[in-house]
């Protein structure tokens, strides 16, 4: 009994070679996503790119590489382009922007931000804040939580008040 999917020595060796290459490409993509994830967002902005792109693209490329290995074999090698582009072109720009620092990197704030005004804020004004309470203010609500009394309890709104306020 013969099978159309039988492996001979040469095809088994070729399969193992492509499997090793695919796993190396997947590992490079995962390393690229981890390396990009360690850098601050502002460094990507200053380098002219987006952090989410360099986290999502390698992960998608790794998944696609695994699918292509199962289906198309040599096509999984194409997933190695993303790490090459990251390490050859963008990583250096992002690291330079990170080392340069600047606004958004946790350094000192720009002039006029971050500290109290000269002389401090001072204390409250003489006599405290505000004045006497406005007319009709009865103080804080009672300790009952301010909910209406239960129906039939004999307790109700004060005279001259309806369920939604003064009549």
């Amino acid at each position: 009994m013969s099978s159309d999917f039988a492996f001979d020595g040469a095809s088994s060796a070729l399969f193992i070679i492509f499997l090793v290459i695919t796993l190396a490409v997947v590992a490079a993509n995962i390393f690229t996503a981890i390396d990009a994830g360690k850098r601050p967002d502002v460094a990507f902005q200053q380098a002219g790119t987006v952090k989410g792109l360099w986290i999502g693209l390698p992960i998608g490329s790794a998944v696609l590489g695994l699918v292509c290995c199962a289906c198309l074999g040599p096509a999984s090698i194409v997933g190695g382009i993303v790490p090459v582009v990251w390490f050859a072109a963008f990583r250096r720009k992002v690291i330079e922007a990170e080392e340069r620092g600047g606004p958004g990197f946790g350094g000192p704030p720009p002039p006029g931000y971050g500290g109290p005004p000269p002389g401090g804020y001072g204390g409250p004004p003489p006599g405290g804040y505000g004045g006497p309470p406005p007319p009709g203010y009865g103080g804080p609500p009672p300790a009952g939580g301010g909910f209406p009394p239960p129906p039939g309890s004999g307790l109700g709104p004060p005279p001259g008040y309806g369920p939604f306020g003064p009549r």
Side-chain angles (χ1 to χ4, degrees):
M1 180 170 170
S2 85
S3 170
D4 291 338
F5 297 108
F7 287 110
D8 60 359
S11 62
S12 295
L14 195 58
F15 174 77
I16 290 173
I17 290 171
F18 283 126
L19 180 65
V20 168
I21 290 172
T22 299
L23 294 177
V25 166
V26 168
N29 277 296
I30 291 171
F31 182 74
T32 300
I34 291 170
D35 186 48
K38 292 190 297 188
R39 314 283 172 208
D41 294 345
V42 178
F44 285 86
Q45 293 170 359
Q46 290 182 356
T49 187
V50 181
K51 183 175 184 176
L53 175 75
W54 292 107
I55 294 174
L57 196 61
I59 291 172
S61 180
V63 170
L64 188 64
L66 288 173
V67 169
C68 286
C69 176
C71 302
L72 304 174
S76 65
I77 297 171
V78 174
I81 294 173
V82 173
V84 168
V85 171
W86 166 252
F87 285 103
F90 287 97
R91 183 175 191 262
R92 182 178 56 248
K93 292 178 185 177
V94 171
I95 289 176
E96 287 172 1
E98 183 179 8
E99 289 171 351
R100 230 181 3 255
F105 281 97
Y113 291 94
Y121 291 109
Y129 293 103
Y137 178 73
F147 293 106
S153 67
L155 301 172
Y161 278 81
F164 301 107
R167 288 186 193 163

